[in-house]
Amino acid sequence: MRAGLRKSIFYVFAVVALTAVAISVVTIQPGARAASDEEYRRMRIFTEVLSEIQRKYVEEKSSDALITEAIKGMVSSLDPHSAYLTPDEYKDLQVETKGSFSGVGIEITMRDGVLTVVSPIEGTPADNAGVKAGDRIIKIDGKLTKGMSLMDAVKAIRGKKGSKVVLTMLREGAGKLLDISIVRDMIPLRSVRYYLLEDGYGYIRLSNFQEDTSEDLIKALNALQSQKKPLKGLVLDLRNDPGGLLQEAISVADQFLNNGVIVSTKGRLPSQDMVFKATPNVSAGNYPIICLINNGSASASEIVAGALQDHNRAVILGTASFGKGSVQTIIPLEDKGALRLTTARYYTPSGRAIQAKGIEPDVVVAFEPQEEKEEKEKRPQGIREKDLTGAMPAEEDKGAQKADDPKAKDEKNGKDKLYMPEDRLKRDNQLTRALDLLKAWKVFEKVVNRDAGKSKRTAATQ
């Protein structure tokens, strides 16, 4: 390893990605340390084992291949997110940051020694094929994943556009293994989408954190805030967002916070101890925010959710997040490969460690599949006045258009693409609940302001 300054890449790495991973570059000073006598003794044993394998193993093995596998084994024993990247793997990682690659569109990690899906990326082949967060990948094209490294799994799942891969999944609640066939495609990484749920209520979806995420978020906020009717509330959707670039997570949180700590990191080296604070430049208006999370929300998305929660800037709704609270540094090596090494943990503004804990929502709402909702709707409902035989009909509101008037539908849902399709909103019980809470927020504000006004008048008369 050369002496002097060496470039390394410092980022929050959600999991080993089958989608793009954004990174930022910093410099660190490599520390030089003489090996101890015990370390030299163990190295001699390693050399001895290497020699015996080369001379006596049933098949011929090159020293280069054996040493590469030995390094991979050593690094992978540290934690699920540390890894040795061969020159080709390092090139792939750099290509991913440019915005697209050929694959299936899932994020994977090792959980309890089993290859596990953190989340499928919205709109990708994996998502369309029905892959779900928490699925355990038992086989890839019939080959067992037990003992397979994360990088080897990434290689096996990726491939040329148009080619097929079969993932054998173990899904909680399923009575048998599921074979899911997926046709690989180019995975575009559009990280920000936005809609109006209704007049005055906006929705922004962040699917990952890449180089232009905060810039696109500002554009989305400006679009929603420039409508004729002022924005009264916003839903920020971080569900199944596996993370990405640390700096982008900080920039995103900064659009909603005008002061205070966003996130801090702590490691063994003083250079890894950092505190990132909000600036006064806020893009979002002073309206209530509901932030959606689930078990597929990891890393950078947990940083944003944790910061908004600790600063009481948003109500967090959904289920507990993934709990990936460590920072990785990419260290380029002399062989043109790289070492991805866990170097720090990150903490929310209040000092909470997220690692293996996750963010707990303020309002717990489990996602309810559409089939279950339909079953509930079929159940008998309570009787109302309008159901009674001979009940007087309701008076028509003269100023209102009939519900079945096409013009009324056009004005509500319209041909304006800014509005979220109504059927999509109805299928998502968590999103529906978030919208209901935003509407209730305004009602409670009126009640609180009314009571506060009464208290002031009472105090003035005494």
Side-chain angles (χ1 to χ4, degrees):
M1 193 72 67
R2 291 175 298 191
L5 287 176
R6 177 180 57 190
K7 279 188 177 180
S8 31
I9 300 166
F10 174 62
Y11 68 108
V12 174
F13 192 84
V15 282
V16 173
L18 298 177
T19 59
V21 177
I23 52 180
S24 60
V25 178
V26 297
T27 56
I28 60 171
Q29 180 71 40
R33 183 182 69 86
S36 66
D37 289 343
E38 176 61 19
E39 286 170 332
Y40 274 123
R41 187 182 71 80
R42 298 298 292 171
M43 286 178 195
R44 284 197 298 271
I45 294 173
F46 173 81
T47 304
E48 184 180 354
V49 171
L50 177 66
S51 176
E52 291 297 320
I53 292 172
Q54 283 185 297
R55 288 192 304 114
K56 298 177 181 176
Y57 185 64
V58 65
E59 294 178 359
E60 187 175 344
K61 295 286 182 181
S62 71
S63 59
D64 183 63
L66 290 169
I67 292 171
T68 296
E69 290 305 314
I71 294 171
K72 283 186 173 185
M74 174 177 63
V75 180
S76 65
S77 71
L78 300 174
D79 66 80
H81 309 295
S82 294
Y84 166 71
L85 307 178
T86 65
D88 286 342
E89 290 167 347
Y90 185 32
K91 272 185 191 174
D92 287 343
L93 179 64
Q94 291 170 312
V95 167
E96 286 173 9
T97 66
K98 303 304 177 187
S100 67
F101 66 96
S102 178
V104 300
I106 57 175
E107 300 280 346
I108 59 175
T109 190
M110 284 291 183
R111 180 177 280 176
D112 301 326
V114 181
L115 200 63
T116 304
V117 175
V118 174
S119 65
I121 302 302
E122 186 178 350
T124 61
D127 184 35
N128 296 334
V131 175
K132 295 184 179 181
D135 282 350
R136 298 194 166 203
I137 305 175
I138 306 302
K139 296 178 184 178
I140 302 172
D141 283 334
K143 183 178 179 181
L144 286 170
T145 58
K146 184 176 175 62
M148 187 181 289
S149 72
L150 277 172
M151 294 312 298
D152 288 339
V154 169
K155 278 183 181 177
I157 296 174
R158 281 187 185 164
K160 290 182 180 180
K161 177 181 176 179
S163 61
K164 186 174 74 173
V165 62
V166 178
L167 303 181
T168 302
M169 304 287 201
L170 177 62
R171 180 174 295 168
E172 187 175 351
K176 60 180 181 179
L177 293 177
L178 306 174
D179 284 332
I180 300 179
S181 179
I182 308 173
V183 177
R184 299 178 178 100
D185 201 351
M186 294 305 296
I187 308 299
L189 293 164
R190 180 184 169 194
S191 62
V192 181
R193 290 179 173 84
Y194 62 94
Y195 299 95
L196 278 173
L197 299 173
E198 291 181 8
D199 287 341
Y201 294 97
Y203 169 88
I204 295 179
R205 162 81 179 139
L206 302 185
S207 57
N208 55 31
F209 290 80
Q210 56 190 54
E211 290 176 357
D212 54 1
T213 297
S214 57
E215 184 180 331
D216 288 345
L217 170 67
I218 293 170
K219 291 177 183 176
L221 287 168
N222 289 339
L224 293 172
Q225 291 169 172
S226 62
Q227 301 301 303
K228 288 182 181 179
K229 292 194 176 181
L231 209 58
K232 294 184 285 188
L234 176 72
V235 177
L236 181 65
D237 191 350
L238 300 177
R239 292 174 297 178
N240 294 325
D241 181 333
L245 177 62
L246 172 61
Q247 190 55 50
E248 285 301 302
I250 294 163
S251 296
V252 164
D254 200 15
Q255 305 314 311
F256 302 99
L257 303 171
N258 58 16
N259 59 60
V261 173
I262 291 175
V263 67
S264 60
T265 64
K266 296 178 185 177
R268 282 177 62 200
L269 299 177
S271 61
Q272 300 293 337
D273 295 348
M274 290 178 273
V275 178
F276 300 91
K277 295 184 177 180
T279 66
N281 302 318
V282 176
S283 299
N286 189 28
Y287 38 72
I289 298 171
I290 305 290
C291 180
L292 301 179
I293 62 170
N294 64 5
N295 66 337
S297 306
S299 196
S301 55
E302 292 175 293
I303 287 176
V304 173
L308 297 182
Q309 187 179 49
D310 282 3
H311 285 287
N312 297 315
R313 184 61 187 92
V315 171
I316 311 300
L317 184 147
T319 53
S321 64
F322 183 77
K324 197 280 177 184
S326 61
V327 180
Q328 281 68 46
T329 301
I330 294 289
I331 307 168
L333 302 173
E334 282 187 353
D335 67 349
K336 300 190 185 301
L339 176 64
R340 186 177 72 237
L341 191 65
T342 299
T343 53
R345 290 182 174 88
Y346 66 76
Y347 300 82
T348 70
S350 65
R352 286 183 294 161
I354 296 172
Q355 179 61 29
K357 296 178 182 177
I359 300 292
E360 292 291 337
D362 301 305
V363 181
V364 177
V365 179
F367 183 76
E368 193 174 86
Q370 181 69 9
E371 312 84 73
E372 293 180 18
K373 287 180 71 177
E374 289 173 352
E375 283 299 316
K376 284 184 179 180
E377 287 169 2
K378 290 177 184 176
R379 295 173 190 169
Q381 304 295 317
I383 296 174
R384 298 178 63 196
E385 168 69 20
K386 66 179 182 178
D387 301 316
L388 298 177
T389 303
M392 289 186 294
E395 288 187 69
E396 292 292 334
D397 186 347
K398 294 177 182 178
Q401 290 174 301
K402 292 181 180 179
D404 59 353
D405 187 341
K407 187 178 176 184
K409 290 181 181 178
D410 277 350
E411 287 179 357
K412 184 178 180 184
N413 302 318
K415 298 167 184 178
D416 187 348
K417 292 181 180 178
L418 192 58
Y419 287 86
M420 177 178 283
E422 196 171 285
D423 61 332
R424 180 177 165 189
L425 178 59
K426 285 180 177 178
R427 287 198 307 267
D428 190 336
N429 69 297
Q430 291 174 321
L431 183 53
T432 302
R433 181 72 176 276
L435 179 58
D436 289 342
L437 282 176
L438 286 175
K439 291 178 178 178
W441 201 310
K442 288 297 176 184
V443 174
F444 284 122
E445 272 187 350
K446 288 179 183 177
V447 173
V448 170
N449 291 336
R450 182 195 64 193
D451 291 345
K454 282 183 179 178
S455 299
K456 285 181 181 178
R457 288 193 296 272
T458 303
T461 57
Q462 291 177 349

